[in-house]
Amino acid sequence: MDDEPFNPDYVEVDRVLDVSESTDENGETVTLYLVKWCSLPYEDSTWELKADIDQSKIDEYEHLYFPPKDKHFGLDRPPADDWKKQEGSRDYRNANELREYQLEGLNWLTFNWYNSRNCILADEMGLGKTIQSITFLYEIYMKNIVGPFLVIAPLSTIPNWEREFRTWTQLNVVVYHGSQASRKTIQAYEMYYRDAQVQTPLQGAYRFNAIITTFEMILADCPELRSIPWGRWSDILAHGRFKRPLKEADVETICRALLAYCLLHYRGDENIKSFIWDLITPTADGTTKTLTNHSGLSTPVPRGRKGKKGKPATLPPQTPRADWLASCNPDHLLQEDSYKRHLKHHCNKVLLRVRMLYYLRQEVIGDQAERILEGGDSSMLDIWIPQPFHAEVPADWWDSEADKSLLVGVFKHGYEKYNSMRADPSLCFLERVGMPDAKAIAAEQRGTDMMADGVEG
């Protein structure tokens, strides 16, 4: 009587994830289904006999076994002229219908979508913004565009989103959250359709129509969902807020100008200065060269702010190899004086971080870079880490695996992105110290956005 009340949901089938055949103790073939139970995480899924499962749940699974032939994934938006105002509500699942003001919101959402226009649906609490958003996605689905649709919501509201999806539509919706074991189960069984013969995932053929997750999961977890890998030109272009359209070559030019400006005000080691100059000098075909065994990479850097200050640097004379500076002139590209003052004040830090990150990529990460960016588990990466001395570690649990996770995390998420590293399930920190506060991750993201805004200025 002192035990907690048993939740009857724990013995109710939520969804079937997979099917398999086995032999029982009599040598007869039996069919088993992998079952996720209501109100229990994916990691508690179990294999059950067909006789113990509601046939309707098996039918739902079999309906989702093969990719739909009459529908397609990806965005194939109809022409804006095809939009028509709906005068009345559809008959949704469970005989649900939209109220008049909800129908008005749905029409507004679909009109903006047809016209490739971003929009924000704002209304008072309790008037059905979630329902309007879900029925909007259902309208797209009815145009034979089956997704994938991404819903990012606060953790506390996710159960409501899932409930409303299932109450109003037939869309296959998956909640991507939970422990690392649960998320790996989702990736294995809920993410993609499989090849019917070899049972391998069909990349790009998403099994779900809509996936619901949180902001921190998007930043730090599943490679298919993560939209902001740091330090790649294409992603800077995709997520930066620029005043005019930019190409990858434009971003590279801006970066060369930033580093050239820092070199003008750098007070430090000549080898490091030489390394940065060689790094930003393009090759004959305009690409960036790869530097190995450069003296500027092995030069030790004194700790702290004390030490002898050198004279401000000067760029090499305008030899033929420096003609590229004409297109990367900091005085022309960096037009905001406040940002230039900020950059001048921190020029030593900028150059030393570039040097450190380059060394990390070339000398430590090496050919493991692609596996890391694809979300590979850091414990499985072949990166040599020296054994740390106990007196130097920041916490009692810190070991060589934590050292490896830190290096991989800096390469993957960026310098000092500690909360994003801590939330990354491919690193060891999530299991050891838990998930950081979502606001802390968002603050890191805002800090990066501010830096991008400064570069554009």
Side-chain angles (χ1 to χ4, degrees), residues 45-99:
S45 300
T46 58
W47 290 95
E48 303 293 334
L49 293 169
K50 180 178 181 179
D52 298 329
I53 304 173
D54 188 327
Q55 183 61 40
S56 65
K57 297 296 183 180
I58 297 177
D59 292 342
E60 288 179 6
Y61 167 74
E62 291 178 346
H63 177 71
L64 294 169
Y65 193 80
F66 296 106
K69 296 181 179 180
D70 59 335
K71 299 179 185 294
H72 54 275
F73 295 90
L75 186 62
D76 190 10
R77 197 187 310 260
D81 292 341
D82 286 359
W83 179 82
K84 293 181 181 179
K85 181 180 179 180
Q86 292 191 36
E87 301 297 338
S89 173
R90 288 183 183 272
D91 291 328
Y92 295 97
R93 192 176 188 180
N94 299 313
N96 281 305
E97 292 185 357
L98 293 173
R99 298 178 185 272

Side-chain angles (χ1 to χ4, degrees), residues 43-203:
E43 62 183 294
D44 291 336
S45 300
T46 58
W47 290 95
E48 303 293 334
L49 293 169
K50 180 178 181 179
D52 298 329
I53 304 173
D54 188 327
Q55 183 61 40
S56 65
K57 297 296 183 180
I58 297 177
D59 292 342
E60 288 179 6
Y61 167 74
E62 291 178 346
H63 177 71
L64 294 169
Y65 193 80
F66 296 106
K69 296 181 179 180
D70 59 335
K71 299 179 185 294
H72 54 275
F73 295 90
L75 186 62
D76 190 10
R77 197 187 310 260
D81 292 341
D82 286 359
W83 179 82
K84 293 181 181 179
K85 181 180 179 180
Q86 292 191 36
E87 301 297 338
S89 173
R90 288 183 183 272
D91 291 328
Y92 295 97
R93 192 176 188 180
N94 299 313
N96 281 305
E97 292 185 357
L98 293 173
R99 298 178 185 272
E100 184 177 352
Y101 65 87
Q102 293 173 335
L103 179 61
E104 182 182 0
L106 172 62
N107 278 320
W108 182 74
L109 289 171
T110 56
F111 175 81
N112 282 293
W113 180 71
Y114 269 83
N115 286 274
S116 302
R117 187 181 301 161
N118 294 329
C119 59
I120 298 175
L121 179 64
D123 210 337
E124 296 180 17
M125 293 286 290
L127 295 182
K129 293 185 294 297
T130 301
I131 293 172
Q132 293 173 64
S133 300
I134 290 172
T135 53
F136 161 64
L137 296 180
Y138 188 66
E139 288 300 318
I140 299 177
Y141 176 85
M142 295 301 290
K143 300 298 181 185
N144 291 331
I145 301 174
V146 299
F149 305 128
L150 175 63
V151 176
I152 304 174
L155 181 59
S156 60
T157 68
I158 282 182
N160 181 60
W161 274 95
E162 181 183 20
R163 181 175 59 253
E164 298 294 3
F165 260 108
R166 296 185 179 182
T167 299
W168 283 77
T169 75
Q170 301 284 352
L171 299 181
N172 180 27
V173 59
V174 173
V175 173
Y176 188 82
H177 208 270
S179 68
Q180 183 175 7
S182 288
R183 296 193 302 272
K184 286 185 176 181
T185 302
I186 296 171
Q187 293 177 26
Y189 295 105
E190 298 275 43
M191 194 65 67
Y192 298 110
Y193 286 103
R194 297 182 185 180
D195 186 286
Q197 295 182 347
V198 296
Q199 291 297 301
T200 55
L202 296 173
Q203 298 294 322

Side-chain angles (χ1 to χ4, degrees), residues 257-438:
L258 290 172
L259 295 179
Y261 185 80
C262 288
L263 273 178
L264 283 171
H265 302 281
Y266 175 68
R267 298 170 180 264
D269 186 87
E270 289 295 325
N271 288 327
I272 295 176
K273 187 191 310 179
S274 172
F275 163 74
I276 297 295
W277 175 255
D278 290 341
L279 177 66
I280 65 176
T281 300
T283 59
D285 60 358
T287 61
T288 300
K289 65 184 71 174
T290 300
L291 303 177
T292 56
N293 300 320
H294 196 286
S295 60
L297 286 174
S298 57
T299 302
V301 178
R303 295 187 178 184
R305 297 180 179 273
K306 297 181 180 180
K308 184 178 179 181
K309 292 185 177 181
K311 296 181 179 179
T314 56
L315 293 179
Q318 292 291 324
T319 59
R321 67 188 287 262
D323 289 343
W324 58 271
L325 272 176
S327 62
C328 302
N329 191 327
D331 291 332
H332 293 162
L333 293 178
L334 306 180
Q335 299 178 2
E336 188 173 318
D337 291 337
S338 61
Y339 183 72
K340 291 168 71 173
R341 289 193 298 269
H342 171 81
L343 199 60
K344 178 180 178 181
H345 181 70
H346 295 284
C347 62
N348 282 33
K349 181 189 295 186
V350 170
L351 297 187
L352 292 179
R353 285 188 181 184
V354 169
R355 169 185 180 265
M356 183 275 290
L357 291 171
Y358 190 90
Y359 181 87
L360 177 63
R361 170 62 178 86
Q362 297 298 127
E363 306 295 335
V364 179
I365 301 299
D367 57 5
Q368 302 291 313
E370 185 173 349
R371 288 185 62 190
I372 292 173
L373 297 178
E374 290 177 350
D377 192 325
S378 64
S379 63
M380 305 299 293
L381 299 174
D382 185 18
I383 298 176
W384 178 80
I385 303 293
Q387 188 67 30
F389 294 104
H390 185 75
E392 298 179 355
V393 298
D396 292 339
W397 50 265
W398 198 277
D399 54 15
S400 59
E401 190 59 40
D403 277 340
K404 181 193 292 187
S405 289
L406 180 61
L407 293 176
V408 171
V410 170
F411 167 72
K412 185 176 180 180
H413 297 286
Y415 199 85
E416 291 185 348
K417 303 298 180 183
Y418 299 122
N419 288 297
S420 297
M421 296 181 212
R422 182 175 157 185
D424 189 340
S426 68
L427 309 178
C428 73
F429 306 124
L430 181 60
E431 289 189 352
R432 298 190 183 188
V433 296
M435 179 70 71
D437 183 75

